[in-house]
Amino acid sequence: MAQGANQDQTDAYLKRTRYTTFSSLPTGCSGELISLFTSDGAEIRAMLYTPSRPSRTVVTFSHPRVDVQRHFQIVDFLEAGYAVFAHNSRWLNNDVATTHEHLLLDVAAAMRYLRTDREFENVVLLGTSGGGSLYAFYQAQAGTAPADRLRDLPWGDPLDLGAEDMPQADAIILTAAHTGQGKLLERIIDPSVVDEDDPMAVDPRLDMYDPANGFRERPEQSRYSPEFLLSYRAAQHERVRQLDTLAFARIEEQRRFGAMQADPALGGTDGRGQIEVRRRAAGTRYMVVYRTTANPAYLDLRLEPSDRVQGGIWSLQPEVDNFGEWGLARLVTPRAWLSTWSGISSRASLVDNAAGLHLPTLVITGTADRDIYPSDSEAVYAATPHPDKSLVMIAGADHYLRPSGPKGEGKDTRAESREHTQKWMSERFPV
């Protein structure tokens, strides 16, 4: 009987909060499938949702790899009278080769479509999680004079954003946005890896899951000393630097064979030699990055104080997840590593790009998020220069704005987030 009652309560909550997505549109609203081509020829697909009455304002959703076309917040904006444009990236559901500079071309294509083809007066960017750092990167570049925009990729190949038509947005909402995929990964990558080809090799001095360093089985809380943490963070940075070195070396190797391919002298070699050069010039050697779920703050709640519970973003057992077959940046090209996942080389740092957000900005996050902490959102808010900026902390909300931890009990945290967001929108973009 009790189990049935609990299930009834869960079902009611899922229905009330549209737990992860939605199954139908509000009465009078409609959706239209849109196909767009970027300036470099990539195709991106989107859904344009329109409310029951015409709207001058559209709210956009995107993410480097996640399908945003059924994001749970879409219905909220439609019910409030706003149009919604949810555009997926060229690397939907597969970020092995994702480079953020090319993602900016995806966003630019969406912005041109909304401004020119659909003639929306107001465009509001809404970036959730990795969508936040992506949109901030775009807006920072769009707001920069074309002559001063990026002209290359992190490994030196040309990509001139100064030649790209990049319409600016009118406002940005950052929801549970981390500080950038590279910055996030540097905080959670395991520095005890001693051999990038051996996922089980461990340096015990840097193993946060070793009891000798402060790890304890739940319900006991782990305790890491300041000395251990200092060494640990330095070693994390060093591992990222070494992976950068590996990525640059593999790109340089490919370039070397590309130069050989272009050399007229290649014609004097035998057929097999020519084939080998062409293969190596075209081929990409992937990087396998093991053990990327190892942040001491997962288990020592004295670090980055908040009302979260112990655990990582994927589960309550990061010590197991860290050695699992799946994880962030597990399989990437060298170019994707440098552009997206390197905390050193990636340019998609939310805090850095927040300095270029010269537009109304709302930062909203949950204080029970196990991977993004109040200090992260505070840093983004502080870095944003526009005077019209707001920071909202939803107590007891996790990364997906669901209730979590002791402060989330009995709360509808998504409804609380919705109220803040819609009030902010109505004050700036009345329907």
Side-chain angles (χ1 to χ4, degrees):
M1 181 69 177
Q3 288 183 343
N6 289 337
Q7 185 60 52
D8 289 343
Q9 292 176 355
T10 300
D11 291 343
Y13 173 76
L14 298 184
K15 182 177 180 181
R16 184 173 72 252
T17 61
R18 304 181 186 93
Y19 186 65
T20 56
T21 183
F22 58 89
S23 57
S24 62
L25 295 175
T27 302
C29 298
S30 62
E32 177 184 356
L33 181 62
I34 306 295
S35 179
L36 301 175
F37 286 89
T38 66
S39 60
D40 64 339
E43 182 182 15
I44 61 171
R45 295 183 178 180
M47 286 294 295
L48 176 62
Y49 298 100
T50 53
S52 56
R53 293 188 298 176
S55 175
R56 299 172 299 167
T57 300
V58 61
V59 180
T60 70
F61 289 74
S62 194
H63 188 279
R65 72 179 182 279
V66 173
D67 185 350
V68 295
Q69 292 183 0
R70 287 162 60 82
H71 194 287
F72 72 92
Q73 289 178 292
I74 288 175
V75 172
D76 297 338
F77 286 101
L78 289 173
E79 290 178 339
Y82 300 104
V84 173
F85 191 72
H87 60 106
N88 290 326
S89 86
R90 65 182 72 187
W91 283 293
L92 175 64
N93 293 328
N94 186 354
D95 63 352
V96 169
T98 298
T99 49
H100 263 71
E101 289 78 7
H102 289 97
L103 288 174
L104 301 192
L105 305 184
D106 295 2
V107 180
M111 293 294 289
R112 291 193 296 270
Y113 175 77
L114 295 173
R115 291 293 196 192
T116 304
D117 294 67
R118 292 294 178 145
E119 299 181 335
F120 282 104
E121 294 180 22
N122 307 304
V123 180
V124 179
L125 305 174
L126 192 151
T128 298
S129 192
S133 50
L134 168 60
Y135 271 156
F137 189 15
Y138 173 84
Q139 180 60 31
Q141 285 295 301
T144 299
D148 297 326
R149 291 177 189 162
L150 292 173
R151 294 178 176 272
D152 63 5
L153 295 156
W155 53 95
D157 284 356
L159 182 69
D160 188 2
L161 292 180
E164 183 77 5
D165 180 10
M166 303 177 72
Q168 296 187 53
D170 298 287
I172 187 169
I173 301 172
L174 303 169
T175 303
H178 55 62
T179 54
Q181 289 179 232
K183 296 299 184 184
L184 172 65
L185 190 76
E186 184 170 350
R187 187 162 67 189
I188 67 176
I189 198 168
D190 190 342
S192 71
V193 169
V194 295
D195 182 349
E196 294 294 344
D197 294 323
D198 184 353
M200 296 299 155
V202 175
D203 179 349
R205 298 170 302 171
L206 294 170
D207 185 2
M208 66 166 279
Y209 299 118
D210 188 327
N213 296 322
F215 173 73
R216 297 293 182 269
E217 296 285 352
R218 278 170 298 276
E220 191 176 351
Q221 190 172 157
S222 298
R223 290 285 187 264
Y224 301 105
S225 70
E227 295 76 19
F228 174 78
L229 291 172
L230 187 64
S231 298
Y232 193 90
R233 296 304 188 195
Q236 285 180 306
H237 184 79
E238 175 59 18
R239 186 182 175 199
V240 171
R241 189 197 65 78
Q242 292 177 3
L243 288 168
D244 275 20
T245 299
L246 175 61
F248 281 120
R250 291 190 175 179
I251 293 171
E252 186 56 35
E253 178 186 47
Q254 189 179 26
R255 281 176 173 161
R256 187 169 65 252
F257 283 100
M260 292 172 60
Q261 185 179 20
D263 189 339
L266 182 63
T269 62
D270 61 39
R272 179 63 196 175
Q274 294 182 36
I275 290 172
E276 184 70 14
V277 168
R278 286 198 297 269
R279 287 176 176 176
R280 290 181 177 272
T284 296
R285 294 180 62 192
Y286 289 91
M287 296 171 61
V288 183
V289 184
Y290 294 108
R291 305 209 321 248
T292 56
T293 313
N295 184 358
Y298 286 156
L299 300 178
D300 188 342
L301 299 183
R302 300 173 305 170
L303 310 176
E304 298 290 350
S306 70
D307 52 71
R308 69 190 186 277
V309 298
Q310 285 181 304
I313 192 172
W314 312 118
S315 80
L316 301 181
Q317 295 182 298
E319 68 273 24
V320 175
D321 298 337
N322 190 48
F323 288 87
E325 65 182 16
W326 190 90
L328 294 180
R330 180 68 77 248
L331 179 67
V332 293
T333 65
R335 292 169 176 82
W337 169 262
L338 293 171
S339 175
T340 294
W341 291 110
S342 168
I344 297 171
S345 296
S346 175
R347 294 139 164 189
S349 163
L350 178 51
V351 174
D352 292 339
N353 288 313
L357 297 182
H358 300 283
L359 74 175
T361 301
L362 171 62
V363 180
I364 188 164
T365 194
T367 61
D369 194 322
R370 297 197 294 271
D371 249 320
I372 300 165
Y373 309 124
S375 64
D376 296 327
S377 299
E378 290 165 355
V380 172
Y381 174 79
T384 302
H386 198 273
D388 183 3
K389 60 179 180 178
S390 303
L391 174 62
V392 176
M393 300 281 191
I394 306 298
D398 70 3
H399 187 62
Y400 306 98
L401 299 181
R402 301 170 302 193
S404 176
K407 291 191 177 181
E409 292 181 4
K411 293 185 64 177
D412 188 342
T413 48
R414 284 190 168 177
E416 186 177 342
S417 172
R418 180 168 60 248
E419 290 170 5
H420 283 289
T421 302
Q422 297 306 333
K423 181 177 183 295
W424 188 88
M425 284 288 296
S426 65
E427 290 172 351
R428 291 156 184 81
F429 307 102
V431 177

